[in-house]
Amino acid sequence: MPVYRMMYAKEGPARYISHLDLLRTFERAARRAGLPIAFTSGFNPHPKIAFAAPLAVGTAGEAEYADLELVREVPVSSIQRDLSGTLPEGLRLVEVRRLGERAPALMSMVERATYRGEARLKSAVSQGALDRAIEAFLGRSEILVQRKNKAGENRVYDIRPGIFAMSGRLDNDIIIIETELKTGSRDNIRFEEVVEAFSTSSELPIEGKYVLYRTCLFSAVDKDNKTLW
């Protein structure tokens, strides 16, 4: 059956939709659009919609990916037009492409992701001070965070190996942090943990919390980043 890959943005109020609710939202939107969704077999069939990587509630996504399987061919232009008209506010379809027969599963492709965090400063910070704070943060041999595992037990994780790049810039009283992190089913690094660890170690005068964005998802081919098309 034909599979279509969608790039979409998750912005504004939609950033607070959980991963499970996002699946339901896309299913309802596809039904309203009249698309012939394929379902799994068995007593409790599920729509064949697969997302690249879960996005933390509260984090916006600028270039997210999902695969939609249909029971028959539908022109890409029709999917783009009809589904765009039924998605709720904050979910915006960017592009749709028909996949080939042997395209790999979307989740298996994800290796890296880029993120951006923006926050207001309480007082002025120089670019030099920001650069030195980032250099000191990346210079640490380990950056330990605490997470709960599936059994509910607290475990300590070193997230430093999964931080591939980090930079910062200033726009008047706004500080902007950009990173590239390990992402996927193994050794996934959470941007909110990176931002919290950096805020604690740098002691920069941040007002409130960072607003978080995932800007793109990548597979890694010969150490080069490649988008998921």
Side-chain angles (χ1 to χ4, degrees):
M1 289 188 280
V3 179
Y4 300 83
R5 182 154 296 167
M6 305 176 288
M7 178 193 282
Y8 66 95
K10 185 170 179 267
E11 307 163 317
R15 69 171 60 200
Y16 298 104
I17 298 176
S18 69
H19 186 65
L20 183 57
D21 285 339
L22 185 65
L23 173 62
R24 295 171 180 145
T25 301
F26 265 93
E27 179 190 357
R28 286 195 294 267
R31 286 177 181 274
R32 287 197 296 271
L35 298 177
I37 311 169
F39 283 82
T40 60
S41 56
F43 292 105
N44 189 21
H46 298 284
K48 291 189 174 181
I49 301 173
F51 294 91
L55 189 60
V57 173
T59 300
E62 296 182 343
E64 299 293 300
Y65 291 86
D67 283 351
L68 171 66
E69 186 170 333
L70 303 179
V71 297
R72 59 175 169 79
E73 294 280 353
V74 175
V76 166
S77 58
S78 297
I79 296 174
Q80 175 100 37
R81 180 195 61 225
D82 297 342
L83 192 56
S84 292
T86 56
L87 286 170
E89 180 184 358
L91 286 177
R92 177 171 54 85
L93 206 54
V94 178
E95 187 174 352
V96 180
R97 296 186 188 181
R98 169 74 160 85
L99 293 184
E101 295 300 326
R102 297 186 178 182
L106 189 53
M107 289 186 70
S108 69
M109 298 174 64
V110 180
E111 293 282 345
R112 300 181 177 211
T114 50
Y115 291 85
R116 183 179 74 254
E118 300 177 357
R120 190 172 299 279
L121 290 163
K122 294 178 184 175
S123 56
V125 171
S126 69
Q127 183 65 48
L130 175 57
D131 291 342
R132 288 191 292 275
I134 292 173
E135 184 179 359
F137 184 67
L138 295 180
R140 293 167 57 178
S141 60
E142 59 182 13
I143 300 172
L144 303 179
V145 301
Q146 197 170 73
R147 294 180 187 171
K148 285 187 182 297
N149 61 17
K150 292 182 179 178
E153 302 165 334
N154 286 323
R155 293 291 178 87
V156 175
Y157 293 86
D158 180 13
I159 62 174
R160 179 62 188 90
I163 305 174
F164 301 130
M166 185 172 183
S167 62
R169 53 191 167 92
L170 301 166
D171 183 3
N172 296 314
D173 63 341
I174 302 297
I175 181 173
I176 301 167
I177 302 295
E178 294 174 308
T179 63
E180 181 178 326
L181 306 178
K182 177 76 177 71
T183 303
S185 56
R186 296 182 60 185
D187 303 323
N188 183 65
I189 302 298
R190 302 169 183 167
F191 184 43
E192 58 271 29
E193 292 176 338
V194 175
V195 166
E196 183 174 349
F198 176 67
S199 297
T200 301
S201 69
S202 67
E203 298 183 340
L204 293 170
I206 302 300
E207 182 177 306
K209 294 185 177 181
Y210 281 87
V211 179
L212 308 181
Y213 303 83
R214 184 157 71 189
T215 54
C216 202
L217 290 160
F218 299 96
S219 61
V221 179
D222 298 329
K223 299 183 179 179
D224 293 327
N225 287 346
K226 181 179 179 304
T227 59
L228 303 184
W229 289 121

